């Protein structure tokens, strides 16, 4: 590559600030701590809407009427069933499998019974709703199976969030816990062109199928820099144990150039609005569940980390308190990211369906820095 040509090329590492399409699904105002789904603020939605309403809003594009919401709920309920093949699969996994690996593998396996490429929008939408319904059932079923218990079938009278808790815990959750879970699912449902959404878009742009698209999203969300941070953040807070240990821990971690999980964001250069909502929930839930000391430790860690990172515009994100909230709802730590994934299926599906309306294969370029025209050397001559 001639040097003058190379000088004119800019490499956008991590595609930082690169825009790949126009979208009307989500607006993140990273400077003013604002988040909107289809024009509604996340605070307004979590104050008033159910997760089912939020999922409908994201995927279809407007808030549902009562009739449309009832129809979605009926479709979700009919799709909560798992086939004998899926149930046999779930019972075949090692009990030590990570639930994110279980979710990714099992969602992918659904294509074995409903395979095939299609460009039919109604089939893509139907498959997206099917996966949205089955993801929590798969997560909850594996949680029961690894405890040596039989999976539970969801109850018609419960909503999506309440059924999720019921299928995991085996008892009808309180209205309070159900509402907290509902809000947490809505907070995780969508976030513009994040890594896992982009992964789904790339897969969709080749005209692959919805099972492959959602599998790609789950696989991408798994990483600790993305969806895996909630699990890591809670482990960090529990490792610290008491507020008094926070100073030393944060100092040591930063001295070792390690990251404070649940802090920092590519877009937010101030507080993540989802953090604000989850922190308030964690404080109240901590009091209700007798976990106030864990909350106090988290607040001290947050304060110490902020003191050292906020000048670099590194603030707490959705993952700092989400793990605490899920823990206080009695959910095991390795379920946090699968729960995040089950909620984000709505956002992934919304972006994929929108992108396919004006599809273009996603295929960037690299800057070549290797050699050219090398001569082949027979293996016996290679040293
Ligand atoms: C999610 O994109 C989305 O919208 C994601 C998400 C969604 O809803 O889909 O919001 C969900 O993934 C939230 C983020 C969860 N991840 C974490 O909490 C893991 C810890 N955070 C980071 O690793 C980091 O902040 C990222 C990955 C989230 C963002 O990183 P960037 O924008 O690529 O920035 P960077 O990694 O280049 O860091 C810039 C500097 C570095 O310092 P230097 O090497 O330049 O000296 O900031 C430092 C970093 O070391 N830094 C941190 C830090 N995050 C960044 N230092 C300490 N602790 C941190 N958490």
């Amino acid at each position: 590559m001639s040097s003058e040509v190379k000088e004119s090329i800019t490499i956008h590492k991590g595609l930082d600030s690169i825009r790949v399409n126009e979208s009307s699904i989500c607006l993140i105002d990273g400077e003013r701590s604002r988040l909107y789904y289809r024009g509604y603020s996340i605070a307004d939605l979590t104050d008033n809407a159910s997760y089912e309403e939020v999922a409908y809003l994201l995927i279809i594009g407007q808030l549902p009427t009562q009739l449309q919401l009832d129809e979605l709920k009926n479709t979700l309920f009919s799709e909560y069933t798992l086939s004998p093949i899926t149930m046999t699969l779930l019972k075949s996994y090692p009990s030590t499998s990570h639930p994110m690996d279980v979710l990714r593998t099992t969602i992918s396996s659904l294509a074995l019974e409903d395979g095939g490429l299609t460009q039919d929008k109604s089939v893509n939408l139907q498959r997206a709703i099917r996966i949205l319904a089955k993801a929590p059932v798969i997560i909850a079923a594996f949680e029961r199976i690894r405890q040596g218990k039989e999976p539970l079938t969801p109850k018609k009278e419960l909503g999506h969030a309440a059924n999720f808790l019921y299928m995991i815990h085996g008892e009808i959750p309180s209205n309070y816990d159900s509402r907290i879970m509902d809000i947490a699912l809505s907070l995780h449902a969508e976030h513009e062109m994040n890594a896992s959404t982009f992964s789904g878009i790339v897969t969709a742009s080749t005209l692959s199928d919805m099972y492959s698209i959602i599998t790609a999203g789950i696989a991408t969300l798994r990483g600790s820099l993305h969806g895996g941070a909630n699990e890591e953040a809670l482990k960090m807070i529990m490792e610290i144990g008491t507020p008094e240990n926070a100073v030393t821990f944060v100092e040591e971690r930063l001295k070792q150039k390690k990251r404070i999980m649940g802090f920092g964001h590519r877009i937010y250069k101030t507080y993540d609005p989802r953090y604000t909502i989850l922190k308030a929930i964690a404080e109240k839930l901590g009091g209700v569940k007798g976990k106030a000391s864990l909350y106090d430790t988290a607040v001290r860690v947050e304060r110490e980390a902020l003191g050292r990172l906020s000048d670099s515009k590194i603030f707490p994100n959705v993952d700092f308190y989400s793990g605490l909230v899920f823990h206080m709802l009695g959910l095991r730590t390795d379920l946090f990211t699968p729960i995040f994934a089950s909620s984000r299926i709505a956002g992934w599906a919304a972006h994929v369906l929108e992108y396919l309306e004006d599809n273009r294969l996603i295929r960037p370029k690299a800057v070549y820095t290797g050699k050219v025209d090398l001569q082949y050397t027979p293996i016996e001559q290679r040293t």
Side-chain angles (χ1 to χ4, degrees):
M1 160 99 39
S2 60
S3 55
E4 60 278 12
V5 171
K6 199 170 158 193
E7 274 151 28
S8 67
I9 293 173
T10 308
I11 292 179
H12 300 275
K13 197 79 180 146
L15 296 184
D16 202 338
S17 309
I18 294 295
R19 310 218 179 219
V20 292
N21 71 331
E22 292 183 341
S23 174
S24 61
I25 297 170
C26 176
L27 174 63
I28 304 172
D29 182 339
E31 300 299 332
R32 295 191 298 162
S33 185
R34 302 269 177 85
L35 172 60
Y36 299 90
Y37 293 173
R38 298 278 189 190
Y40 297 90
S41 79
I42 192 64
D44 203 4
L45 289 171
T46 49
D47 281 347
N48 300 293
S50 65
Y51 174 72
E52 291 92 324
E53 283 180 272
V54 166
Y56 187 99
L57 170 68
L58 289 169
I59 295 172
I60 307 299
Q62 78 263 345
L63 285 171
T65 61
Q66 187 61 56
L67 188 64
Q68 290 165 333
L69 182 59
D70 293 345
E71 204 177 302
L72 173 63
K73 287 182 171 180
N74 288 335
T75 306
L76 287 172
F77 191 77
S78 68
E79 289 289 2
Y80 283 152
T81 50
L82 298 181
S83 73
I85 290 177
T86 300
M87 202 50 90
T88 305
L89 254 181
L90 285 167
K91 291 181 174 175
S92 71
Y93 299 145
S95 60
T96 52
S97 308
H98 192 289
M100 267 302 265
D101 298 331
V102 167
L103 183 63
R104 185 193 65 243
T105 307
T106 313
I107 293 292
S108 180
S109 77
L110 297 179
L112 305 177
E113 298 182 85
D114 177 31
L117 298 180
T118 177
Q119 294 181 55
D120 183 326
K121 282 191 282 189
S122 63
V123 172
N124 276 333
L125 176 59
Q126 184 191 44
R127 285 176 171 174
I129 301 296
R130 174 172 301 138
I131 298 167
L132 185 68
K134 291 184 185 328
V137 186
I138 287 164
I139 295 163
F142 179 69
E143 171 63 353
R144 302 274 298 176
I145 289 165
R146 70 175 175 177
Q147 296 179 43
K149 299 173 184 170
E150 269 307 302
L152 295 168
T153 46
K155 292 183 173 303
K156 183 77 175 156
E157 66 274 19
L158 295 180
H160 194 72
N163 258 319
F164 206 161
L165 291 175
Y166 164 68
M167 289 188 287
I168 287 174
H169 292 318
E171 55 192 37
I172 306 285
S174 68
N175 291 338
Y176 181 69
D177 283 10
S178 302
R179 186 64 189 125
I180 298 289
M181 184 67 167
D182 197 79
I183 290 169
L185 291 176
S186 294
L187 287 169
H188 287 85
E190 159 59 11
H191 215 238
E192 201 230 38
M193 201 51 71
N194 57 84
S196 52
T197 297
F198 184 62
S199 183
I201 295 282
V202 170
T203 310
S205 77
T206 71
L207 301 184
S208 187
D209 66 287
M210 193 55 78
Y211 297 105
S212 301
I213 290 163
I214 303 299
T215 300
I218 298 169
T220 308
L221 191 73
R222 177 92 167 82
S224 62
L225 291 188
H226 190 11
N230 53 22
E231 184 175 336
E232 297 304 317
L234 182 80
K235 282 179 187 167
M236 179 184 74
I237 293 163
M238 296 187 91
E239 183 189 332
I240 293 167
T242 64
E244 293 67 40
N245 296 340
V247 179
T248 314
F249 181 92
V250 170
E251 274 177 353
E252 274 310 302
R253 195 158 175 104
L254 294 177
K255 203 182 288 174
Q256 295 160 17
K257 294 295 272 179
K258 285 183 182 168
R259 297 181 175 212
I260 306 295
M261 302 317 271
F263 262 73
H265 202 278
R266 179 63 63 80
I267 311 296
Y268 290 118
K269 299 309 166 193
T270 179
Y271 291 96
D272 178 333
R274 301 168 295 177
Y275 139 90
T276 311
I277 296 169
L278 284 161
K279 180 175 180 178
I281 290 173
E283 181 176 22
K284 200 169 167 204
L285 197 57
V288 169
K289 303 284 184 179
K291 301 262 187 184
S293 61
L294 203 54
Y295 172 76
D296 294 342
T297 303
V299 167
R300 189 63 189 279
V301 174
E302 178 198 341
R303 199 165 72 216
E304 295 306 328
L306 266 176
R308 294 163 178 79
L309 294 171
S310 54
D311 288 350
S312 312
K313 292 188 181 298
I314 298 168
F315 288 83
N317 59 51
V318 63
D319 288 309
F320 190 72
Y321 283 103
S322 60
L324 210 57
V325 170
F326 289 139
H327 173 73
M328 291 173 178
L329 289 174
L331 299 164
R332 284 210 275 194
T333 308
D334 63 5
L335 292 180
F336 297 173
T337 310
I339 292 167
F340 184 161
S342 75
S343 160
R344 187 55 61 88
I345 290 166
W348 292 333
H351 279 280
V352 160
L353 292 169
E354 180 185 63
Y355 190 83
L356 288 172
E357 286 297 307
D358 180 19
N359 185 45
R360 177 134 172 73
L361 177 72
I362 292 175
R363 200 281 187 213
K365 291 184 76 176
V367 172
Y368 181 66
T369 59
K371 299 186 174 74
V372 286
D373 296 335
L374 295 175
Q375 296 306 308
Y376 178 80
T377 317
I379 194 160
E380 59 277 7
Q381 294 173 26
R382 290 174 219 156
T383 54

